[in-house]
Amino acid sequence: LSPESATSFNLGAIFQQGGLNASIDYYNFDFEDTIIVESQDAVVAAALAALADPTAPQGILNRLTFDGGTQSAGTIARIRTNIVNGPDVQTSGVDLRADYTFDDLFGAEITLGGEATIVLEYDVGDYIVEDVTIAGFDGLGQLNRDNFGRPIPETKANFFANYARGIHNLRADMRYISEYDDLRPSITGNGKTIDSFTSFDLTYNLDLTDEYGFRAFVSGQNITDEDPPFARLDLNYDPYPHPSYGRVIKVGATATFG
């Protein structure tokens, strides 16, 4: 294998005025010699095409083991894929963040803000397996189950509100993942589009460090107990971007003596 390499650049800006802090950052990566595991689906498709067309490159058939001495889609027993240097990958996107702090609103400090990552492109080039050209693909907004890619939702975002007053601090978060599609030809109807996912977290902190050397917190993750959206996968959801847990409550405390 050759080392994977990338050419990258980014361009950003930061704005601050009063209680407002904001930033925007554009990133661009051009990967070469990406290290991948060859796609099983692509290898099988190329092999079946070779069986149907004797003039096509036949070396791809060595990647399959067939049962019963008959070479057909129904007798495939084993598929061999390799770790190889794969295609070029071009990806770019924008990271956004902004928050505003009210220093003294009804005797408290209140901060409202959010951050988001928006992927603008995820283009994968062609690559060669046993003299067969495996076509590239646009992975943006896709599950990418039938290739070596990963799920690429277009947008992930987190919005928050924080209330701080004396020994009390309360924070609420809303987390959002946009929908994306499962483009496998066999998938129709329910699961063709993996729905967007929104969850809410809430955390309260009590800080008595100065008076008693004591701190405590209680937090709830996914407090509305949202299930991850349905996907046509073994677990019936996609564990890569979506959490597997439902509502989680945590309680903790620390004390300092001496």
Side-chain angles (χ1 to χ4, degrees):
L1 293 175
S2 299
E4 183 175 299
S5 63
T7 301
S8 65
F9 69 89
N10 69 294
L11 180 65
I14 297 174
F15 178 81
Q16 295 178 320
Q17 182 173 339
L20 176 64
N21 295 279
S23 66
I24 180 172
D25 184 70
Y26 169 80
Y27 63 85
N28 186 291
F29 289 89
D30 185 2
F31 294 94
E32 296 180 352
D33 294 322
T34 55
I35 297 175
I36 67 167
V37 178
E38 295 166 332
S39 167
Q40 286 191 15
D41 288 355
V43 169
V44 170
L48 295 180
L51 286 175
D53 181 7
T55 65
Q58 299 293 298
I60 192 71
L61 293 174
N62 296 326
R63 296 297 193 90
L64 273 61
T65 301
F66 297 92
D67 275 339
T70 301
Q71 294 182 332
S72 69
T75 60
I76 297 174
R78 183 177 179 183
I79 306 164
R80 177 169 60 87
T81 57
N82 296 330
I83 299 175
V84 299
N85 287 113
D88 294 344
V89 176
Q90 179 76 38
T91 184
S92 65
V94 178
D95 292 326
L96 304 168
R97 179 178 174 82
D99 62 70
Y100 190 91
T101 299
F102 302 89
D103 287 327
D104 188 3
L105 187 63
F106 305 111
E109 180 184 273
I110 297 176
T111 303
L112 304 175
E115 57 188 3
T117 295
I118 302 171
V119 183
L120 301 177
E121 63 176 334
Y122 194 89
D123 295 326
V124 179
D126 299 343
Y127 67 105
I128 305 297
V129 177
E130 304 291 353
D131 297 324
V132 176
T133 299
I134 306 299
F137 57 92
D138 177 2
L140 179 58
Q142 312 299 339
L143 175 64
N144 295 318
R145 184 66 173 180
D146 56 350
N147 53 59
F148 63 84
R150 60 179 178 82
I152 314 266
E154 292 186 17
T155 303
K156 293 182 179 180
N158 175 38
F159 303 96
F160 70 89
N162 193 83
Y163 173 92
R165 182 171 183 173
I167 62 175
H168 306 284
N169 187 281
L170 180 66
R171 178 181 171 111
D173 287 271
M174 183 186 83
R175 306 183 190 278
Y176 171 79
I177 301 171
S178 62
E179 67 178 26
Y180 50 103
D181 296 323
D182 186 345
L183 294 186
R184 290 176 291 175
S186 61
I187 302 301
T188 59
N190 190 24
K192 188 69 175 177
T193 295
I194 299 169
D195 292 336
S196 61
F197 179 73
T198 302
S199 63
F200 298 89
D201 301 339
L202 192 64
T203 302
Y204 170 72
N205 284 282
L206 176 67
D207 189 349
L208 298 172
T209 303
D210 293 338
E211 295 86 350
Y212 305 106
F214 176 80
R215 300 182 65 182
F217 77 90
V218 58
S219 69
Q221 296 177 325
N222 190 11
I223 58 174
T224 57
D225 199 24
E226 297 295 325
D227 290 329
F230 175 74
R232 294 287 188 89
L233 301 171
D234 293 342
L235 299 175
N236 283 336
Y237 75 98
D238 181 5
Y240 189 89
H242 299 124
S244 59
Y245 50 81
R247 182 186 300 114
V248 177
I249 305 297
K250 295 182 180 180
V251 178
T254 59
T256 302
F257 300 96

